[in-house]
């Protein structure tokens, strides 16, 4: 019998392999009383378990392949750091003594208290940090209960059964995901998690097909059963008949063939059939990403998110440190242009150092974030402006300001940049006096008044991730309203079009650096709307280029204009399909 289950496809690709159920066993933690004279022994037992957990995680850390992305390593490091944090080391010891209970139970009490604090937070990103607590607590509890779990330690030679298998789990810890990739797992399927979960982020980085949120999957599927995973459509199929299997094998071969064909496009320019050159740039978050930019043959970096520099630390990076980091990226790009975005902290991008005043905003996405935060806190902003200006002396650099929403903000930023230039002149420090200054259009108010921004800036870049969130009034990291996130909403398309027109009228380039720019589904529509500069994850760049090279904007324009007049979702999708076919 064929079983077809659906979840959320979070990492594209087709995988066909034998199911491997990751058995954790149910962790049944019971409370029992510890006699007074044995409390010291119980504390020692807890400390030994912490040591074993540290040993396990350090062994996993040591086996991460050298070319693994830094953000994945960070996930593991966070867990290692948590094993040093007093909330998970000292507090449970106090509970063992004060409640005269066993270590497993003390950990459970502490975990429940911590999770309650996180769940009360009004921020989905922070709420997700509760997963980290659970992963670390369960690791220690398993050691205490003496329950072994196949991914608890790094093992020595790996498990041959995992190669090519489809891993089914309730949830995966970052450590699981890294180990499984090392052992050649073909796809991940989990019962829990959303598009922003660790598993999703890691799977995308590792380019392993993944579907999350498939409830009860381990009840429906057996070990060793042949399973098909479609990471784009979010489908998991078991017991498929010969025809279905052939169909998916065909899709898999097409995918592999397409990947090989795309590689040939690396050195080719992006040019439409009517001879328009399209700029294809990449989004990066750290120096390590520059390798991917080169591998994709991008024309430069259209968005360098600088928030990473400020995350996972208590202090703020100094001007000198920032200059060094930016200089490394400029050097690595070796002549390709770099667009450095000024700090976009707040909302979904939180840091530990309390720049937001230590206060939890009720609506962080509408609160003191990005340029608002920088203008409020010039001690934070000034060193970054100086560092970016000084980096511009080293290679082609552009400065981009996120979240502009009104004229005062823009004028203040421009004045601060002018002041910074005068300061650098006085100090005899070099910078490029012609460094282009641009702004991100990601607030509907800015899109509606894009003419104002276009007249005063050297370029604009449309941040669709936020523009869609604010236009449609949906928190982009709230799983409950994900279904409303729609780049094809007529209001969103009208705003995008307005910004592109404003740029054309003012004679300045308009780029798009939100996720929409890298989704091949929208490439032709965006060309039809007049977009000529795209910036996206390096992994999607070649596919977008192949679509551009097969498109003729003269044919796209009339159909796009027709689409802009539509309000019915079905009609819009039908026109989009027609645009894809011409
Ligand atoms: C956007 O909002 O589209 C964008 C590119 O910025 P970020 O995703 O970093 O908010
Ligand atoms: Mg944004």
């Amino acid at each position: 019998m064929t079983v077809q289950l659906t979840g959320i496809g979070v990492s594209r690709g087709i995988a066909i392999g034998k199911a491997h159920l990751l058995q954790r066993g149910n962790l049944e933690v019971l409370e029992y009383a510890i006699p007074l004279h044995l409390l010291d022994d119980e504390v020692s037992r807890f400390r030994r378990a912490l040591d074993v957990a540290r040993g396990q995680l350090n062994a996993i850390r040591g086996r991460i392949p050298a070319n693994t992305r830094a953000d994945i390593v960070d996930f593991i490091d966070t867990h290692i750091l948590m094993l040093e944090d007093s909330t998970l080391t000292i507090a449970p010891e106090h509970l063992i003594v004060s409640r005269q209970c066993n270590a497993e139970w003390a950990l459970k009490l502490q975990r429940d208290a911590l999770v309650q604090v996180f769940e009360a937070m009004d921020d989905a990103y922070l709420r997700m940090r509760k997963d980290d607590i659970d992963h670390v607590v369960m690791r220690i509890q398993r050691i205490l209960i003496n329950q072994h779990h196949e991914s608890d330690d790094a093992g020595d030679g790996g498990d041959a059964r995992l190669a090519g298998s489809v891993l089914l789990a309730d949830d995966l810890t970052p450590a699981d995901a890294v180990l499984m990739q090392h052992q050649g797992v073909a796809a991940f399927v989990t019962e829990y998690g959303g598009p922003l979960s660790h598993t999703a982020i890691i799977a995308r980085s590792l380019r392993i097909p993944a579907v999350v949120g498939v409830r009860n999957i381990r009840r429906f599927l057996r070990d060793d059963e042949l399973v098909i995973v479609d990471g784009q459509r979010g489908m998991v199929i078991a017991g498929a008949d010969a025809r279905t299997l052939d169909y998916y094998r065909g899709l898999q071969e097409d995918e592999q063939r397409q990947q090989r064909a795309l590689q040939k496009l690396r050195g080719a320019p992006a040019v439409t059939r009517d001879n328009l050159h399209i700029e294809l740039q990449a989004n990066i978050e750290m120096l390590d990403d520059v390798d991917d930019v080169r591998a994709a043959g991008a024309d430069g970096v259209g968005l360098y998110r600088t928030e990473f520099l400020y995350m996972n630390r208590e202090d703020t990076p100094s001007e000198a440190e920032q200059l060094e980091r930016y200089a490394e990226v400029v050097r690595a790009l070796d002549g390709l242009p770099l667009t450095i975005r000024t700090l976009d902290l707040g909302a979904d991008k939180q840091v530990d150092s309390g720049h937001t005043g230590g206060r939890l905003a009720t609506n962080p996405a509408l609160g003191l974030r990005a340029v608002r935060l920088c203008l409020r806190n010039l001690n934070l902003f000034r060193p970054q402006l100086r560092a970016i200006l000084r980096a511009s002396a080293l290679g082609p650099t552009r400065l981009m300001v996120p979240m502009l929403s009104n004229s005062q903000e823009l004028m203040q930023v421009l004045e601060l940049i002018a002041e910074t230039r005068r300061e650098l002149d006085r100090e005899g420090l070099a910078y490029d006096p012609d460094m282009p200054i641009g702004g991100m259009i990601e607030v509907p108010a800015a899109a509606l008044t894009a003419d104002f921004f276009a007249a005063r800036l050297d370029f604009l870049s449309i941040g669709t991730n936020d523009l869609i969130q604010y236009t449609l009034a949906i928190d982009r990291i709230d799983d409950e309203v994900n279904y409303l996130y729609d780049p094809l909403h007529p209001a969103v398309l009208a705003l995008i079009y307005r910004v592109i027109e404003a740029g054309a009228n003012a004679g300045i380039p308009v780029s798009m650096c939100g996720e929409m720019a890298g989704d091949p589904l929208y490439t032709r529509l965006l060309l039809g709307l007049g977009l000529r500069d795209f910036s996206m994850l390096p992994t999607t760049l070649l596919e977008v280029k192949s679509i551009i090279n097969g498109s003729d904007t003269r044919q796209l324009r009339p159909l796009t204009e027709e689409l802009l007049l539509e309000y019915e979702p079905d009609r819009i999708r039908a026109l989009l399909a027609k645009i894809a076919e011409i």
Side-chain angles (χ1 to χ4, degrees):
M1 191 188 65
T2 305
V3 179
Q4 183 172 321
L5 301 161
T6 45
I8 310 167
V10 292
S11 180
R12 293 167 43 169
I14 307 277
I16 303 173
K18 286 193 176 163
H20 182 92
L21 273 66
L22 190 65
Q23 291 300 356
R24 274 180 227 275
N26 272 340
L27 253 191
E28 209 179 332
V29 174
L30 300 173
E31 177 181 16
Y32 50 92
I34 304 288
L36 264 179
H37 70 284
L38 290 180
L39 280 177
D40 282 349
D41 291 349
E42 189 62 9
V43 169
S44 304
R45 189 171 79 90
F46 173 64
R47 289 185 185 161
R48 278 197 304 278
L50 284 177
D51 283 341
V52 175
R54 287 183 193 114
Q56 287 177 349
L57 277 176
N58 281 321
I60 290 168
R61 176 80 165 77
R63 282 196 51 186
I64 297 176
N67 57 356
T68 304
R69 284 173 50 115
D71 50 347
I72 294 177
V73 182
D74 283 349
F75 282 133
I76 312 264
D77 284 343
T78 305
H79 287 194
I80 293 176
L81 280 176
M82 284 169 74
L83 282 172
E84 303 303 330
D85 196 292
S86 61
T87 49
L88 284 183
T89 56
I90 308 295
E93 285 186 11
H94 290 319
L95 282 167
I96 293 172
V97 176
S98 63
R99 298 185 62 115
Q100 295 180 27
C101 69
N102 52 320
E104 298 88 323
W105 190 254
L107 255 177
K108 179 195 165 338
L109 295 176
Q110 178 64 5
R111 176 254 172 218
D112 291 349
L114 289 171
V115 165
Q116 214 177 10
V117 175
F118 273 85
E119 280 184 341
M121 291 183 182
D122 213 16
D123 181 321
Y125 181 79
L126 285 181
R127 277 202 306 268
M128 248 174 44
R129 298 307 94 198
K130 117 181 195 316
D131 294 351
D132 288 315
I133 297 175
D134 275 338
H135 291 155
V136 174
V137 164
M138 283 201 285
R139 180 176 290 277
I140 308 168
Q141 285 175 330
R142 276 200 302 272
I143 294 164
L144 287 164
I145 296 173
N146 226 345
Q147 193 180 85
H148 187 72
H149 172 247
E150 54 187 306
S151 68
D152 277 345
D153 45 42
D156 30 36
D159 184 343
R161 287 172 314 152
L162 286 172
S165 69
V166 170
L167 193 79
L168 311 176
D170 48 356
D171 190 9
L172 286 176
T173 67
D176 292 334
V178 170
L179 276 181
M180 298 303 157
Q181 186 245 359
H182 199 56
Q183 300 186 334
V185 167
F188 299 138
V189 181
T190 64
E191 295 202 6
Y192 304 104
L196 269 181
S197 63
H198 289 152
T199 316
I201 297 168
I202 293 178
R204 279 195 294 272
S205 295
L206 301 175
R207 299 185 198 192
I208 293 180
V211 182
V212 301
V214 190
R215 292 294 145 91
N216 292 323
I217 182 118
R218 290 168 312 147
R219 268 214 272 139
F220 288 111
L221 303 187
R222 290 187 310 274
D223 243 337
D224 287 334
E225 193 170 13
L226 196 65
V227 181
I228 302 168
V229 177
D230 182 336
Q232 174 146 30
R233 291 180 196 83
M235 263 178 357
V236 182
I237 305 168
D241 57 25
R243 266 179 56 191
T244 313
L245 266 174
D246 278 351
Y247 172 75
Y248 278 98
R249 288 207 171 103
L251 279 187
Q252 206 178 20
E253 279 164 21
D254 286 350
E255 225 174 46
Q256 286 157 0
R257 210 171 305 123
Q258 201 193 1
Q259 279 308 320
R260 283 195 297 272
L262 287 178
Q263 285 311 316
K264 298 198 183 112
L265 279 179
R266 251 199 80 204
V271 183
T272 62
R273 293 219 303 265
D274 50 324
N275 236 351
L276 285 176
H277 175 83
I278 307 296
E279 192 74 7
L280 289 186
Q281 301 205 329
N283 296 351
I284 65 166
E285 285 169 357
M286 53 188 78
L287 177 66
D288 290 359
D289 298 335
V290 174
D291 290 343
D292 296 337
V293 176
R294 299 207 152 278
D299 297 320
V301 169
L303 167 64
Y304 172 22
R305 292 184 168 99
T306 54
E307 294 78 58
F308 257 88
L309 274 174
Y310 293 72
M311 289 178 168
N312 297 323
R313 57 191 289 167
E314 291 196 348
D315 60 342
T316 306
S318 65
E319 173 187 335
E321 182 183 341
Q322 290 188 59
L323 176 59
E324 184 45 38
R325 293 288 94 75
Y326 304 152
E328 281 167 358
V329 180
V330 171
R331 281 196 291 270
L333 283 169
D334 194 20
L336 293 178
L338 170 67
T339 310
I340 307 179
R341 176 173 77 179
T342 60
L343 255 186
D344 185 10
L345 288 182
D348 56 319
K349 306 176 189 83
Q350 296 289 339
V351 289
D352 307 328
S353 32
H355 298 297
T356 40
R359 173 185 74 94
L360 276 178
T362 319
N363 283 309
L366 302 180
L368 196 61
R369 61 169 285 205
V371 70
R372 303 170 179 184
L373 179 71
C374 288
L375 286 172
R376 173 75 68 88
N377 192 344
L378 292 181
N379 291 338
L380 190 64
F381 202 22
R382 280 208 163 100
Q384 185 173 41
L385 292 179
R386 284 177 59 97
I388 297 174
L389 271 161
R390 291 178 65 189
S392 72
L394 309 172
T397 306
R398 308 194 302 173
L399 181 149
M400 181 161 84
V401 186
M403 267 287 280
L404 289 165
S405 66
N406 64 33
S407 57
Q408 294 92 310
E409 279 168 355
L410 175 61
M411 300 324 276
Q412 276 183 60
V413 170
L414 292 179
E415 181 46 39
L416 272 169
I417 293 173
E419 235 175 67
T420 311
R421 284 182 173 137
R422 289 194 291 272
E423 230 172 67
L424 295 176
D425 284 338
R426 281 197 299 277
E427 295 167 34
L429 293 170
Y431 64 90
D432 171 10
D434 299 319
M435 175 179 71
I437 313 286
M440 284 189 71
I441 303 296
E442 41 188 354
V443 177
L448 288 168
T449 52
D451 289 327
F452 174 86
F453 294 94
R456 286 156 186 84
L457 286 163
D458 301 312
F459 67 96
L460 301 180
S461 187
I462 309 174
T464 46
N465 306 342
D466 278 313
L467 186 62
I468 296 170
Q469 134 164 293
Y470 294 128
T471 306
L472 305 182
I474 44 164
D475 188 338
R476 69 193 248 194
I477 55 172
D478 184 343
D479 289 353
E480 299 295 328
V481 287
N482 264 344
Y483 74 101
L484 291 170
Y485 200 85
D486 182 12
L488 289 178
H489 191 294
V492 172
L493 297 180
L495 289 174
I496 292 173
Y497 186 54
R498 188 161 183 140
V499 179
I500 295 172
E501 291 279 278
N505 291 338
I508 62 162
V510 174
S511 164
M512 178 181 284
C513 62
E515 294 294 303
M516 189 179 180
D519 190 333
L521 198 61
Y522 307 122
T523 308
R524 284 191 157 184
L525 172 64
L526 294 172
L527 284 174
L529 288 171
L531 192 74
R532 300 292 175 257
D533 290 19
F534 294 65
S535 190
M536 64 196 76
L537 275 179
T539 36
T540 55
L541 198 137
L542 291 175
E543 200 175 342
V544 169
K545 190 190 281 187
S546 85
I547 296 176
I548 290 171
N549 290 1
S551 304
D552 186 327
T553 60
R554 289 166 306 189
Q555 290 175 323
L556 297 177
R557 198 92 198 177
L559 275 172
T560 309
E561 274 162 16
E562 205 180 314
L563 189 147
L564 278 178
L565 298 173
E566 286 295 343
Y567 290 96
E568 290 293 333
D570 288 349
R571 286 283 307 144
I572 291 178
R573 269 158 235 281
L575 276 165
L576 191 73
K578 205 165 154 188
I579 290 174
E581 278 161 21
I582 54 169

